[in-house]
């Protein structure tokens, strides 16, 4: 196989990364149902409880608008659309019955797209992805903060910048943190050769590469499947469909890329002079991401609070899955930012949502969001220490009125319910100390026993219909979930459960709660079929070898090797790297040094080895392309046979 053909196959898997789920139309499932009478009543009550709209968000989200592209479709190299900038331009007037009135208001502002001037020398491109790209004018070129999720949207954003502001080279890229929507478009704005030559700096917080690999490769398959629910990637935007993510639109569906940082920020107060612009950094790792920084643009008096503060309460534990975050530290970072930058800043902007202008607005937002996270933390712990469980705390804990008066404290993304459970988990884990929950039956077995105990499927279905008629969708979905897990072929139960989830989605203020309910309804009505590709080859190629091998170890089944003990050396002449893989009979342990007495040695360029190990390309095929095996070839094949393919598609709303 030629190197060109191999590279083509490698790039063929780059259509989707764990978070790059896109908002392109998918096959249409059964038509959604209208809002029920109970949902109409719930929306009316929700609207009556909302704070007055003083117009600030409407003005702030529009301020500085310069232009947006005439063609709203962003396409990949093959002409396939990966993003629709104007996907929410249909939103006009008051909220329809199928959308929570507060979420409708939020999305009217988040849906504004294009290039916006934030202050002299600072701009943002918004609406080209779930995140924003911030543009700072240096002495010779552009400094870009967070180049979106993928190559295509980032390139389109930079094109708009150059068209409107004049073409300049990119001299630096700053990754604010280790989530793919804040670095994945880097190859759309810079050339790696320029980075290698020192023409472009790539700046990131400490431990960035390790955390990016942990989230996007180590846990990528499971997280990617769950992210389909969080972002509603298969649901078309519309009044009865996807309504964004609460802090942005959907997530673009192009190629996620990565170039390793050339400079690392390790402490708060650290400074850099980047292309003539003095920047000051705040390390906030452990808040929204395990590796994260904020940027103070000194001469512009602009504080870029990447994702520590946005237009919504954030997630302490994101539904797609991640390392649980430290709410106490998060509140502390906000307080630190208030002290360090509150009086020095004329604007606070973030990598999602719109800025807030004026020193008073900056200080008020940082202080109010600090109190929001601290209240969540302290009151969860108070109730936890009184013996209340996750579910009990989530039901009891309500946001104080004075915090709810600020729209940016509302739960458009994170919620009090989900976050209180996450704080409980942070301290005590999943177990509530009740032995009945220590070793319960798994969902399908528990469901069969529960349905039998309630009198059988017909009785459960009758009870669920009664709950639906009363508008008690939480109880109906609880009952019907048991019925579907006991008998996935029960079409009446599936259809009714889909209806129940749908109404709960309509009533959700959180964009991602809505997405999860609607995606569940969609999959019950029209189960997904086929493979679910995960992982970006460029992302994988950019990660250090040891991290990749440790990820590979999580896919190794020692039972398939029959307890054999082997040693495999991997030699990569192109990188001047050698790794030793020790198979102990129960584990696969990796070191970045060769074993003294290996069973076999494999020599090949690293990209070819990645094809062997991650794409599961046949050994004999790669040997024809130049890969060499010395020693026990049969042992190598036995090891390879023990490595499972990358996972991805699995059931969520049924067994």
């Amino acid at each position: 196989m030629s190197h060109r053909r191999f590279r083509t196959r490698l790039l063929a898997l780059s259509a989707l990364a764990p978070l790059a789920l896109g908002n392109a139309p998918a096959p249409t499932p059964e038509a959604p149902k209208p809002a029920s009478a109970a949902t109409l009543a719930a929306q009316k009550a929700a609207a009556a409880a909302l704070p007055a709209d003083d117009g600030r968000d409407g003005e702030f989200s529009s301020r500085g608008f310069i232009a947006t592209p005439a063609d709203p479709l962003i396409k990949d190299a093959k002409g396939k659309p990966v993003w629709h900038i104007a996907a929410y331009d249909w939103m006009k007037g008051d909220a329809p019955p199928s959308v929570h009135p507060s979420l409708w208001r939020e999305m009217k502002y988040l849906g504004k797209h294009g290039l916006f001037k934030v202050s002299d020398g600072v701009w943002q491109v918004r609406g080209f992805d779930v995140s924003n790209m911030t543009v700072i004018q240096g002495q010779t070129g552009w400094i870009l903060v967070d180049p979106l999720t993928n190559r295509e949207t980032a390139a389109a954003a930079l094109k708009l910048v150059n068209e409107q502001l004049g073409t300049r080279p990119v001299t630096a890229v700053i990754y604010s943190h280790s989530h793919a929507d804040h670095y994945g478009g880097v190859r759309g704005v810079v050339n790696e050769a320029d980075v290698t030559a020192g023409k472009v700096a790539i700046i990131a917080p400490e431990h960035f590469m390790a955390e990016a690999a942990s989230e996007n490769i180590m846990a990528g398959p499971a997280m990617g499947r769950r992210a389909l629910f969080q972002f509603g990637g298969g649901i078309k935007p519309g009044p009865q469909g996807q309504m964004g993510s609460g802090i942005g639109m959907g997530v673009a569906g192009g190629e996620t890329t990565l170039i390793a940082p050339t400079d690392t920020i390790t402490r708060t107060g650290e400074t850099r002079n980047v292309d003539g612009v003095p920047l000051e950094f705040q390390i906030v790792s452990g808040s929204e991401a395990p590796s994260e920084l904020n940027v103070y643009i000194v001469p512009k008096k602009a504080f870029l609070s990447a994702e520590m503060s946005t237009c919504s309460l954030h997630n302490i534990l994101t539904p797609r899955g991640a390392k649980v975050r430290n709410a106490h530290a998060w509140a502390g970072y906000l307080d630190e930012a208030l002290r360090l930058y509150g009086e020095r800043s004329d604007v606070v902007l973030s990598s999602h949502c719109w800025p807030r202008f004026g020193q008073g607005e900056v200080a008020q937002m940082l202080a109010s969001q600090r109190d929001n996270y601290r209240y969540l933390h302290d009151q969860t712990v108070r109730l936890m220490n009184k013996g209340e469980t996750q579910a009990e705390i989530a039901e009891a804990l309500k946001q104080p009125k004075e915090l709810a008066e600020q729209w940016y404290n509302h739960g458009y993304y994170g919620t009090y319910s989900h976050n209180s459970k996450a704080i409980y988990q942070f301290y005590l884990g999943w177990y509530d100390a009740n032995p009945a929950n220590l070793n319960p039956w798994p969902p399908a077995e528990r469901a069969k026993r529960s349905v039998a105990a309630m009198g059988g499927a017909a009785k459960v279905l009758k009870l669920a219909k009664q709950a639906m008629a009363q508008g008690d969708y939480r109880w109906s979905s609880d009952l019907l979930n048991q019925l579907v897990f006991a008998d996935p072929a029960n079409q009446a139960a599936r259809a009714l459960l889909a209806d129940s989830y749908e109404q709960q989605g309509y009533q959700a203020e959180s964009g991602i709660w809505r997405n999860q309910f609607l995606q569940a309804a969609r999959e019950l009505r029209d189960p997904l079929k086929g493979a679910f590709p995960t992982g970006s080859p460029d992302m994988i190629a950019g990660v250090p070898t040891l991290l990749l091998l440790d990820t590979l170890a999580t896919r190794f089944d020692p039972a398939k090797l029959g307890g054999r003990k082997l040693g495999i050396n991997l030699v990569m002449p192109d990188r001047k790297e050698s790794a030793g893989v020790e198979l102990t009979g129960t584990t696969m342990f990796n070191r970045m040094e060769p074993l003294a007495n290996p069973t076999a040695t494999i020599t090949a360029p690293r990209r070819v080895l990645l094809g062997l190990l991650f794409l599961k390309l046949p050994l004999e095929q790669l040997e024809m392309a130049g890969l060499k095996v010395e020693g026990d070839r049969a042992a190598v094949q036995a090891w390879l046979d023990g490595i499972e393919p990358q996972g991805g598609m699995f059931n969520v709303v049924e067994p």
Side-chain angles (χ1 to χ4, degrees):
M1 175 189 287
S2 70
H3 181 73
R4 181 184 297 274
R5 287 177 60 203
F6 169 69
R7 179 172 173 78
T8 298
R9 289 195 62 181
L10 189 65
L11 292 176
L13 293 187
S14 65
L16 293 177
L19 294 184
L21 301 170
N23 63 350
T28 303
E30 178 186 333
K33 306 291 176 62
S36 66
T39 293
L40 289 171
Q43 308 295 46
K44 184 177 180 180
L50 293 175
D53 192 339
D54 58 15
R56 287 182 298 165
D57 287 336
E59 194 275 318
F60 289 161
S61 63
S62 299
R63 185 184 292 191
F65 175 73
I66 296 172
T68 197
D71 183 357
L73 289 180
I74 298 176
K75 302 176 182 178
D76 63 16
K78 295 182 178 179
K80 177 184 176 182
V82 298
W83 186 249
H84 194 311
I85 297 170
Y88 301 87
D89 282 3
W90 51 268
M91 293 183 63
K92 308 291 181 185
D94 296 331
S98 55
V99 182
H100 191 289
S102 183
L103 178 60
W104 179 264
R105 174 191 179 275
E106 179 84 347
M107 277 307 300
K108 285 174 72 172
Y109 301 142
L110 284 174
K112 296 180 180 180
H113 49 83
L115 176 64
F116 297 79
K117 182 176 181 179
V118 177
S119 66
D120 288 341
V122 180
W123 299 264
Q124 281 193 321
V125 180
R126 301 183 208 130
F128 278 52
D129 209 329
V130 71
S131 52
N132 304 330
M133 185 169 78
T134 300
V135 182
I136 305 167
Q137 183 173 331
Q139 287 184 352
T140 63
W142 303 125
I143 304 164
L144 305 180
V145 184
D146 291 348
L148 309 182
T149 305
N150 60 60
R151 181 194 299 265
E152 294 84 356
T153 54
L158 182 60
K159 178 183 177 184
L160 179 63
V161 169
N162 284 329
E163 287 175 349
Q164 297 297 322
L165 305 179
T167 301
R168 299 164 66 90
V170 174
T171 52
V173 175
I174 300 173
Y175 303 149
S176 68
H177 60 287
S178 49
H179 294 155
D181 53 323
H182 300 270
Y183 65 79
V186 64
R187 290 189 189 272
V189 296
V190 298
N191 186 309
E192 187 169 16
D194 290 337
V195 176
T196 303
K199 297 178 181 179
V200 180
I202 306 286
I203 302 171
E206 189 175 22
H207 308 305
F208 170 85
M209 288 297 287
E211 296 299 341
S214 170
E215 178 160 313
N216 294 286
I217 299 179
M218 185 79 77
M223 199 174 293
R225 176 69 173 109
R226 290 167 59 124
L228 185 62
F229 279 75
Q230 176 168 325
F231 292 106
I235 305 172
K236 185 178 179 179
Q240 292 172 285
Q242 199 248 33
M243 286 295 298
S245 65
I247 54 171
M249 300 185 189
V251 183
E255 182 191 1
T256 299
T257 65
L258 176 64
I259 298 176
T262 61
D263 190 8
T264 298
I265 305 300
T266 62
R267 61 179 177 81
T268 294
E270 202 166 339
T271 60
R272 294 287 188 278
N273 190 298
V274 181
D275 192 14
V277 180
L279 302 176
E280 183 178 327
F281 297 92
Q282 180 192 18
I283 290 292
V284 293
S285 299
S287 59
E288 195 272 338
S291 172
E292 186 161 356
L293 56 75
N294 293 328
V295 185
Y296 182 65
I297 309 166
V298 179
K300 310 303 179 184
K301 295 186 177 181
F303 178 53
L304 198 164
S305 177
E307 237 176 300
M308 181 185 71
S309 59
T310 67
C311 59
S312 170
L313 173 67
H314 217 293
N315 286 297
I316 303 302
L317 179 58
T318 179
R320 64 181 165 83
K323 295 177 180 177
V324 65
R325 296 149 186 178
N326 187 334
H328 184 273
W330 198 323
Y333 288 137
L334 282 160
D335 187 63
E336 180 181 67
L338 178 64
R339 291 185 289 105
L340 293 176
Y341 310 112
E343 294 184 357
R344 298 166 60 194
S345 301
D346 293 333
V347 60
V348 58
L349 58 160
S350 76
S351 295
H352 294 280
C353 307
W354 54 90
R356 305 195 75 79
F357 298 91
Q359 189 273 324
E361 287 283 348
V362 174
Q364 181 188 48
M365 182 186 196
L366 293 174
S368 187
Q369 292 209 331
R370 172 200 63 190
D371 293 349
N372 203 25
Y373 289 102
R374 189 59 189 260
Y375 180 86
L376 251 171
H377 173 272
D378 290 355
Q379 297 312 304
T380 297
V381 173
R382 180 179 67 84
L383 295 173
M384 179 185 80
N385 283 328
K386 293 175 69 174
E388 295 194 27
T389 64
Q390 286 180 324
E392 291 166 338
I393 295 169
E395 194 69 18
L397 195 58
K398 306 300 179 187
Q399 187 177 49
K401 187 176 185 297
E402 52 267 41
L403 293 176
E405 284 297 314
Q406 299 297 335
W407 292 94
Y408 49 65
N409 285 334
H410 282 233
Y412 303 113
Y413 194 49
T415 67
Y416 259 52
S417 173
H418 202 99
N419 282 343
S420 63
K421 292 176 182 178
I423 294 166
Y424 184 102
Q425 177 181 326
F426 182 85
Y427 287 104
L428 298 182
W430 62 268
Y431 178 46
D432 63 2
N434 184 339
N437 300 320
L438 186 60
N439 189 31
W441 286 105
E445 290 300 321
R446 179 176 179 270
K448 292 173 184 176
R449 288 163 172 77
S450 297
V451 169
M454 285 187 279
K459 180 67 177 297
V460 175
L461 194 61
K462 181 180 178 180
L463 291 170
K465 288 179 179 178
Q466 291 173 353
M468 289 282 288
Q470 296 165 2
D472 189 353
Y473 300 121
R474 293 171 70 183
W475 179 232
S476 66
S477 60
D478 197 351
L479 289 168
L480 292 163
N481 181 64
Q482 298 297 324
L483 196 48
V484 169
F485 267 74
D487 180 13
N490 189 322
Q491 295 303 316
R494 295 177 70 97
L496 200 59
L497 181 54
D499 291 348
S500 177
Y501 282 150
E502 190 168 60
Q503 296 301 321
Q504 291 176 80
Y506 291 166
Q507 293 181 29
E509 183 180 31
S510 166
I512 59 175
W513 272 41
R514 177 187 178 92
N515 290 339
Q516 290 169 93
F517 281 123
L518 296 189
Q519 184 67 28
R522 182 183 187 276
E523 292 195 12
L524 284 165
R525 291 168 176 162
D526 185 27
L528 290 179
K529 301 177 180 66
F532 180 73
T534 61
S536 159
D538 194 83
M539 169 75 196
I540 292 171
V543 170
T545 300
L546 183 60
L547 289 174
L548 289 178
L549 291 175
D550 284 347
T551 297
L552 196 70
T554 67
R555 290 169 39 211
F556 174 64
D557 182 358
K560 294 181 179 178
L561 202 58
R564 293 174 63 188
K565 297 181 180 181
L566 303 173
I568 309 291
N569 279 344
L570 304 175
V571 180
M572 293 151 275
D574 59 317
R575 306 221 343 166
K576 296 182 174 59
E577 287 184 344
S578 294
V581 177
E582 183 181 355
L583 302 165
T584 69
T586 57
T587 61
M588 172 180 158
F589 203 85
N590 312 294
R591 302 179 184 87
M592 287 310 295
E593 56 186 37
L595 302 174
N597 298 295
T599 310
T601 297
I602 305 174
T603 302
R606 196 180 88 142
R607 182 173 289 275
V608 175
L609 283 175
L610 295 183
L612 179 71
L613 301 175
F614 281 84
L615 300 186
K616 298 285 287 182
L617 297 180
L619 178 60
E620 59 273 14
Q621 195 173 36
L622 294 181
E623 285 177 309
M624 293 172 62
L627 179 145
K628 295 180 181 179
V629 177
E630 299 173 88
D632 190 341
R633 187 184 183 283
V636 170
Q637 188 62 59
W639 170 52
L640 295 174
D641 291 343
I643 298 172
E644 296 178 345
Q646 285 184 285
M649 182 59 71
F650 49 80
N651 288 337
V652 174
V653 294
E654 58 183 302

